[in-house]
Amino acid sequence: MGCVVSQLAAKFAFFPPSPPTYRIKKRDDGRLTAVSASSAAAVAPIASADDDSLDVLLVDTQRGNKIVAFYLRNPYARLTLLYSHGNAADLGQLYDLFVQLKVNLRVNVMGYDYSGYGASTGKPSESNTYTDIEAVYNCLETEYGVSQENLILYGQSVGSGPTLHLAAKLPRLRGVVLHSAILSGLRVLCHVKFSFCCDIYKNINKIRKVKCPVLVIHGTDDDVVNWLHGHGLWKMSREPFDPLWIKGGGHCNLELYTDYIRHLCRFVHEMESITTEIRLKKIRQTLHLPRRSSTSTSTKCCRIKFQRPKCAECSLPSCAKCSCQPKCTRCWRPSCFKCLCKPKCLRCPRPSCPRLSCPQPSCPRPSCPRLSCPRPSCVKCLSWVCCCCCCGGRGGEVNDNRSREV
């Protein structure tokens, strides 16, 4: 059932340019190049032949498709921008935009065509776009050494779906840009408050999982994706950046406004200045973690919230005088220095025997009358060791001797 729903949604959601605006051709040196597919310039290359800043790649996905990707290199770049384009467009139409972003933002740009778009094989679908962006990210990581800490994801319109899909899986991502993004596919057609099984690109559920700064760009006069989509995503972001609401902007013309590139430059510049220490500080603030204090007045002894033992005399949290002291075996109060470490009963293993019938009473005198007793009693606290045991268990004889001496 899920496959049928996905295929049905794909028919209404994806409109790849037909025919594609470019073709892939192999050069004499073995490298791939992209040439225009228009009739006026059938073999005109999209980029000049001596331009080494453009790499045309064929990337294999987990679903067996081969997708085309453009990698534009900037020698002064510190960050890389992974661009997921919108509907009804391919790389041949976006190459000029990639060049502008590379120069103005001073970043490396990686753009790719979804399965079934441009010269990529396969058919367009939601699940295919997810595997497409994962394959391109793995290519960036393995071929160009780009880590998620130096990566900014950019998603336009439908491209916000795979962008948030990948962003939710990368906890150390540098930033995310959502350009005319959607809350979900079904919410573009009608205003609904619930998610249905036939819905695609449920960004409303994934935006909360993104742990990096999110920049939202949307036109106020967008007649394809209402401005409320971008506003809702910005409100639900865990770390929202200052949004850009372009007054009078539509769905496909935001790049023509000067505020667009200016605001993007500011975002990229701030992402470059973010250090690991600042990122950790912001994460702690979003999690609302309490700060440790050396002079804490709390009655709890650690973060696990174990209660401290209370004093038996005053019923208050234990103070430094009686804190963490073993209890007295006679009165069950926090022990003092007099009766600390009182030995256990000689017959039973309890600290003090509550049974009155215990046959081993304490020695009635401060010191044992018999010199052969190997266990001298404690004179300070009168809690001496019973000598009845060492005297052969003849407690009665000791008492008789005492009566005779008296």
Side-chain angles (χ1 to χ4, degrees):
M1 180 66 183
C3 244
V4 176
V5 171
S6 180
Q7 291 175 3
L8 241 141
K11 290 183 179 180
F12 295 99
F14 302 102
F15 301 97
S18 183
T21 61
Y22 71 97
R23 292 184 295 108
I24 297 299
K25 186 180 178 181
K26 201 169 186 178
R27 298 194 310 189
D28 296 336
D29 56 359
R31 295 182 60 186
L32 297 176
T33 182
V35 297
S36 177
S38 62
S39 56
V43 292
I46 293 180
S48 59
D50 56 349
D51 186 8
D52 294 333
S53 64
L54 173 64
D55 292 342
V56 180
L57 309 170
L58 278 177
V59 183
D60 296 323
T61 69
Q62 292 183 353
R63 290 177 169 263
N65 299 327
K66 289 184 178 293
I67 61 173
V68 182
F70 288 178
Y71 181 77
L72 286 79
R73 190 181 296 101
N74 189 325
Y76 304 102
R78 295 174 55 189
L79 302 177
T80 300
L81 189 74
L82 177 53
Y83 193 102
S84 300
H85 62 72
N87 209 349
D90 61 15
L91 293 179
Q93 300 170 337
L94 296 171
Y95 174 75
D96 292 335
L97 175 64
F98 291 167
V99 173
Q100 292 180 12
L101 295 177
K102 179 191 77 169
V103 174
N104 294 325
L105 303 182
R106 202 173 62 177
V107 295
N108 302 316
V109 179
M110 171 71 91
Y112 66 100
D113 265 337
Y114 311 124
S115 298
Y117 278 71
S120 299
T121 63
K123 293 183 179 181
S125 67
E126 180 187 9
S127 55
N128 276 342
T129 57
Y130 292 157
T131 56
D132 294 342
I133 193 171
E134 289 174 358
V136 174
Y137 169 70
N138 292 333
C139 176
L140 278 174
E141 199 173 26
T142 56
E143 298 294 331
Y144 297 98
V146 179
S147 61
Q148 57 178 294
E149 291 86 353
N150 298 322
L151 183 65
I152 296 177
L153 299 183
Y154 190 112
Q156 179 192 12
S157 188
V158 171
S160 60
T163 294
L164 288 178
H165 167 78
L166 182 61
K169 295 184 174 182
L170 302 178
R172 300 186 303 276
L173 197 64
R174 185 61 68 99
V176 170
V177 180
L178 299 178
H179 175 169
S180 301
I182 63 175
L183 286 170
S184 71
L186 189 60
R187 287 174 171 83
V188 176
L189 303 177
C190 54
H191 182 68
V192 293
K193 295 184 178 180
F194 304 98
S195 297
F196 298 89
C197 62
C198 59
D199 202 356
I200 63 172
Y201 294 131
K202 301 174 185 178
N203 296 335
I204 191 172
N205 299 332
K206 297 178 181 178
I207 187 64
R208 298 182 178 91
K209 301 178 182 178
V210 179
K211 301 177 182 178
C212 62
V214 177
L215 167 62
V216 178
I217 303 174
H218 217 106
T220 58
D221 292 349
D222 193 331
D223 56 351
V224 179
V225 179
N226 194 279
W227 168 81
L228 294 175
H229 286 252
H231 185 265
L233 291 172
W234 176 69
K235 281 289 186 183
M236 289 183 288
S237 300
R238 297 175 61 174
E239 194 175 340
F241 192 80
D242 294 338
L244 176 60
W245 313 125
I246 298 181
K247 188 176 181 180
H251 189 69
C252 301
N253 63 348
L254 300 185
E255 298 88 352
L256 303 178
Y257 290 83
T258 56
D259 289 341
Y260 168 79
I261 198 69
R262 185 185 300 117
H263 205 77
L264 266 179
C265 286
R266 177 190 162 200
F267 177 74
V268 172
H269 178 71
E270 291 199 17
M271 294 304 102
E272 288 177 344
S273 61
I274 287 181
T275 60
T276 305
E277 184 179 355
I278 297 175
R279 288 290 304 276
L280 291 176
K281 184 178 179 180
K282 289 184 177 181
I283 292 173
R284 292 191 189 100
Q285 290 176 353
T286 56
L287 295 177
H288 303 289
L289 293 178
R291 295 183 177 180
R292 290 187 177 182
S293 176
S294 58
T295 58
S296 177
T297 57
S298 174
T299 60
K300 296 168 183 175
C301 58
C302 58
R303 283 181 177 266
I304 312 178
K305 299 182 181 179
F306 286 134
Q307 294 287 346
R308 288 179 178 175
K310 293 184 177 181
C311 180
E313 295 181 356
C314 56
S315 299
L316 295 176
S318 59
C319 56
K321 196 172 185 179
C322 54
S323 176
C324 301
Q325 296 286 345
K327 295 182 178 180
C328 179
T329 56
R330 181 172 296 180
C331 60
W332 296 100
R333 295 180 179 179
S335 62
C336 58
F337 294 101
K338 290 184 178 181
C339 54
L340 187 63
C341 303
K342 177 180 174 66
K344 297 181 180 180
C345 178
L346 300 179
R347 176 65 62 88
C348 58
R350 300 180 182 179
S352 62
C353 184
R355 297 172 57 187
L356 298 177
S357 59
C358 179
Q360 304 291 341
S362 301
C363 185
R365 299 186 66 179
S367 60
C368 180
R370 300 185 58 176
L371 299 177
S372 60
C373 178
R375 298 184 181 180
S377 61
C378 175
V379 182
K380 291 185 178 180
C381 60
L382 299 180
S383 57
W384 49 85
V385 182
C386 178
C387 64
C388 299
C389 177
C390 59
C391 295
R394 295 188 297 273
E397 295 179 3
V398 176
N399 292 334
D400 292 340
N401 294 335
R402 291 183 70 254
S403 61
R404 290 171 188 160
E405 290 175 1
V406 172

